[in-house]
Amino acid sequence: MEKDLFTEYARLGFFRDLLCNNIKYEEEILEFEKEIAADFRPNIVMVAAIDNYHLQFGNKSEIQRQNLRLAVLESLKEAVENLYTLVVPMEEDLYALLFQLNNKEETREKTLDIGQNLQRYIEDETGISITIGIGLPCKNIFDLHLSYKDALLACRHKFYTGIGQAIHIANTIPFITDPNIFSIEIESQFSVKILSCDKKAAFKILDDFISSITNKTPNIDPVIVKARFNEIALIIIRAGIEAGIRSEKLGILSRRFLKRIAESDTFLELENQTKELVSQIIDEISRGRKHMNTKLFEEAIEYINDNFANNITLEDISEHVHISPYHFSHEFKRFTSMNFIEYLTKVRINEAKKLLLTTDLSIKEVSSQVGYQDSSYFGRVFKNVEGVPPSKFKIDNQVYKEEKIKSSGK
């Protein structure tokens, strides 16, 4: 019995290394195959991934998570006991299923049918949702890692198509890498709406951004999408810092959210997590301003956003909202964590960045359009904020964009 158990563990270890392409020489594979794999020669791999594992079960005890994983493993073994199959645990939430199928003409239809039955069986038996990814058949055991790689890639498509299904790699559209899905306009607009505690408008900007991703065909690689959502998270947290939220609170919210971004199985889940963070940050800002007339300063911000290209002053805005310049200056700093000049400069420089990246206007023309009549002074202010003069900012970002476009076209 002990010998059989040892052989089984050795067998699982051999195939795990084979799938991860950790065995360097074919002679080693042949030797292991002869000793412990015997006549089992798998030629196709599926993966079974527990859906939303980290979000659903991350807070459970290790014993509870272990029991859950074992329940899925036993159910998978039961489901394939009549097939020539081996189930190999790969990661905490992932299992590989190795099949030996002889009729390759029927492989796609047959494996898809097997995968769909597996998915339904596991959910019925355990109440746990899994997604099955199915790879292409390989010619020999040396290339089994390629089928495993295909199966993992197929499973990643649940990011867009949803959890609880079987996905064959041959039925998917390849992901694309698009470096241009994140607009510089989002940062300035998003920050303003968060600082204004305008949850509805902030969600609208987020929805527009999400539509720009989901409307693309084929789908953008989830790795790229998550990287962009990391950038959005930084914008949200930065707005929280500007609004004066306690650093301890922001640290807790940001760590939790960044972890959830990495662990999100689907785009919908990622969207919901982002909106939850926006909502939490805005609620924190609102609580910090409960003694202030929010509407008044939202009007002031709107006035600045509409008139930043003009030579507006603190007195102009305080008159517009009908309070004294002294009171406005004091409360505006509490509302935005910036004084009037700092906020006006931020709006002007954000607009200047947009014009530099999206138009062929000269530095002098950009300077004039954002409210600086002296282009030399504009250049000094821009460098002070961005760390580089406007001319270098434009050149650097054009080069970066061109490199990304070339990279994505490969």
Side-chain angles (χ1 to χ4, degrees), residues 21-299:
N21 201 23
N22 288 337
I23 304 179
K24 189 174 181 180
Y25 301 108
E26 289 188 6
E27 292 80 4
E28 294 180 37
I29 296 176
L30 292 172
E31 184 63 27
F32 273 111
E33 187 181 25
K34 179 181 177 181
E35 292 293 326
I36 59 177
D39 60 346
F40 180 56
R41 286 174 175 62
N43 57 1
I44 195 162
V45 181
M46 294 186 194
V47 296
I50 301 175
D51 294 324
N52 298 322
Y53 176 79
H54 295 285
L55 289 178
Q56 286 196 70
F57 310 111
N59 292 328
K60 294 186 180 296
S61 69
E62 177 55 35
I63 291 177
Q64 288 175 310
R65 292 200 302 274
Q66 183 183 39
N67 289 337
L68 179 145
R69 296 194 299 269
L70 289 174
V72 173
L73 177 60
E74 291 305 314
S75 292
L76 283 170
K77 289 179 178 179
E78 290 171 8
V80 298
E81 63 180 351
N82 294 324
L83 300 170
Y84 207 18
T85 307
L86 180 67
V87 182
V88 183
M90 299 298 294
E91 296 177 18
E92 194 171 0
D93 60 339
L94 185 73
Y95 310 84
L97 295 94
L98 283 56
F99 289 83
Q100 181 175 329
L101 299 176
N102 297 321
N103 189 349
K104 294 186 179 181
E105 298 300 321
E106 300 176 0
T107 296
R108 186 191 303 189
E109 293 76 12
K110 185 172 183 178
T111 52
L112 189 58
D113 184 58
I114 291 171
Q116 290 168 344
N117 289 333
L118 272 174
Q119 193 280 323
R120 287 191 292 266
Y121 183 87
I122 300 304
E123 188 157 359
D124 289 343
E125 290 295 312
T126 66
I128 297 168
S129 173
I130 65 167
T131 295
I132 302 289
I134 306 167
L136 294 171
C138 55
K139 293 182 180 179
N140 55 56
I141 197 169
F142 310 121
D143 296 327
L144 201 62
H145 65 281
L146 298 177
S147 184
Y148 176 60
K149 185 178 179 181
D150 284 339
L152 289 174
L153 183 57
C155 198
R156 280 176 57 198
H157 280 266
K158 70 177 176 179
F159 187 74
Y160 291 106
T161 59
I163 60 175
Q165 60 176 317
I167 307 170
H168 198 294
I169 187 63
N171 295 337
T172 63
I173 300 173
F175 290 131
I176 60 170
T177 301
D178 189 339
N180 301 311
I181 65 171
F182 186 71
S183 168
I184 195 169
E185 294 179 52
I186 290 178
E187 180 168 356
S188 56
Q189 293 176 11
F190 210 36
S191 294
V192 167
K193 297 308 178 185
I194 292 172
L195 286 169
S196 301
C197 294
D198 190 341
K199 196 177 292 188
K200 183 177 179 181
F203 283 175
K204 175 65 167 59
I205 292 172
L206 191 57
D207 287 338
D208 289 344
F209 170 63
I210 288 166
S211 295
S212 73
I213 297 174
T214 55
N215 289 339
K216 289 180 180 288
T217 303
N219 297 319
I220 299 171
D221 191 326
V223 174
I224 300 298
V225 175
K226 289 184 178 184
R228 297 302 178 260
F229 272 83
N230 276 329
E231 293 177 28
I232 288 180
L234 293 177
I235 294 171
I236 299 168
I237 297 301
R238 210 155 46 229
I241 293 171
E242 290 181 12
I245 298 177
R246 290 182 301 109
S247 58
E248 298 85 356
K249 182 67 175 179
L250 279 173
I252 292 170
L253 290 174
S254 60
R255 284 193 297 272
R256 184 195 309 159
F257 178 67
L258 293 173
K259 184 173 183 290
R260 287 178 175 177
I261 287 179
E263 294 172 350
S264 292
D265 272 3
T266 65
F267 193 95
L268 179 61
E269 188 180 301
L270 191 59
E271 177 185 349
N272 291 338
Q273 294 294 337
T274 307
K275 287 185 175 179
E276 181 182 337
L277 179 65
V278 171
S279 183
Q280 289 175 329
I281 292 293
I282 288 178
D283 288 345
E284 286 291 326
I285 295 173
S286 295
R287 279 191 284 272
R289 297 173 179 168
K290 60 184 177 181
H291 299 301
M292 297 174 60
N293 187 341
T294 302
K295 183 173 174 52
L296 181 147
F297 287 96
E298 287 178 349
E299 288 180 15

Side-chain angles (χ1 to χ4, degrees), residues 43 319 331:
N43 57 1
E319 183 179 346
E331 294 299 325

